[in-house]
Every structure is written in structure tokens, then in C-alpha cells.
Amino acid sequence: MPHQRFVRVNGIDLHITEQGSGPLVVLLHGFPETSYSWRRQIPAIAAAGYRVVAPDQRGYSGSGRPEGIDQYSIFHLVGDVVGLIRELGEQQAVVVGHDWGSMVAWQTALMRPDVVRGVVGISVPPLPRGSRPPLTLTRERFGEGFYQNYFQQPGVADAELNKDIAATLRLTYAGVRKAEPDPGFLGGIAEPETLPSWLTADDLAVFVDQFTASGFTGGLNWYRNLDRNWELTAAWQDAPITPPSLYISGEEDGVRSFYPMDDAARAIVPNLRGVVDVPGAGHWTQQERPEVVTEALLDFLR
């Protein structure tokens, strides 16, 4: 059975879920999720002979939530992964991420290939560093209302998402896009008639409890470092991500429309072992189609 504990890393406590023994596999969640998003993968990967550890990353659930926005830069996030691997007594791990966790996984493999045996990104592919700040590009392409730009002003999206946490998560995970959106992040999403089959009322309640404890500001602060991260990573311009890699994406994931796995993305992962398109899956890939994602991960690990 998975068990939970805290690990001290880089001056904060990370709450982790772990199970199994063998080569280390680290699972990194996205926004707005927690380690609970890997509930289907953890027992299956552990049963296959691996030590699986899924942290609640900084700013989330029971983990440390530094106040300063600058405490959520890509250097902090990668540092947490490297520090976690070391605190677990290991020298290397296969690092798997979904959504924002995918971005952290790719960056960890880029900056510390000595620590990463293999890297898997789910939903978000490897992103080449562009010639201009990312928020400038999204503003020009999608407008100021694009969610990543909307998230920038401290307190604004925080208040919207924290107002009714159950509604925020229900709409984010299961809502339907409106043809004529209202302002804000949630204004473009209509209430679902029912929860999808992959998300039970009990599952939703777990997420609600976790975000009631933490709020959304920690996760939003990751977005508030997008341009800072671009500045900080200038030294890795055009650098390849060399560890063995895998990319998994739901065929109906809207992220594919603005972060495609195109020739530019493939060019920076010379050791790409495969691309897995998951039929019938949207953005919450490992929750929506756990059996497909788990099997793809096990194939890669083997």
C-alpha cells in the first residue's frame, strides 16, 4: 500500500506518497492537481518492481508554500526534484511529469542529465527556448485573456479560484467550454451535467480537501515565473535533452493546440523513444485513461 510522509528538501517540507522498492521513479503532478492524480499509477508501477515517489510539489497541498513569488522559479522546482532524489538516498531516477510537472521533468533532464535516467512528459512536450519571453508570445497570439497571462496579477486569479474550491475543481476537471465565455478563468467553462467516469465524488472530495488546505496561490506562482524562467535559462538555449525520453498525450488534449510535439520539439530530444497518443483522453491524461498511460510508462521503464 502507498504510504505518506514528509521529506525536507531545499528548506521546505515536501509531502510525498511512496510505494515499492527497486529503481526510483518520481511522478510530478500538474496544475491544479496533487500527487493524488497518480493514484492509479503508483500501485501498478510499484508492483512491477519499482520504488515510486509522488511529491506534492512546492505550493501544493501539505507541502511548503513559500510566500515570495520568486521562490517558485524553475531553478527552485528543478532543485526540489534533484534534492528529493538525494534525500531518498538515490543517485538517479526516471522522472515523469504531467502538465506543469512535465515542464519540470524536461527541465530537470536538461539541467541535470546525470540525475535523470529517463524522462517522460505527459501533455506538455519538450519546449525549445524561444527568442522572446513566453508571455509576450501568448499575449500576441491569444490576447491578454489567455489563462497564463490572466494568472499574472497577484491576487486576481487567486480570489476567483479560491472563492468556491469545489466548483473551481469541478469546472476545471470536467466542465464544458462555452461558445461565448465570460471573463476570468472559470468564466469560459460551463458546469458538467455529471462527473466523468474517471473522477468519482470521493476523488473530487480529496482534491477539494487538499486545495482547501493550500489554496491556489502556490500553483499560480509557478505561472508568475514564466518570463523569469525564460531569462534564467538563457544558458541552455538550443541545448538538447539527452536522457532517454517518452512523450504521452491525450488525443483530445487542448494543450496540443498551443504546445505541439512538432519538429522543433523533437529536435531537442535526440533520444526520444516514442510518442504515445492516448485515444479518448483530454488533458487529465493519467486520470482519464490510467491503463493506457501506466502500460506506456511500464514499457518505457522496462
Side-chain angles (χ1 to χ4, degrees), residues 180-197:
E180 297 183 6
D182 297 315
F185 177 69
L186 301 175
I189 312 172
E191 278 280 1
E193 293 185 6
T194 60
L195 291 177
S197 59

Side-chain angles (χ1 to χ4, degrees), residues 159-211:
E160 181 193 4
L161 301 186
N162 282 315
K163 182 178 179 181
D164 184 338
I165 289 174
T168 292
L169 295 172
R170 187 172 62 249
L171 288 167
T172 304
Y173 296 154
V176 180
R177 285 284 163 194
K178 292 179 181 177
E180 297 183 6
D182 297 315
F185 177 69
L186 301 175
I189 312 172
E191 278 280 1
E193 293 185 6
T194 60
L195 291 177
S197 59
W198 56 267
L199 184 71
T200 67
D202 288 342
D203 291 332
L204 182 60
V206 172
F207 285 121
V208 170
D209 286 346
Q210 291 173 326
F211 280 96

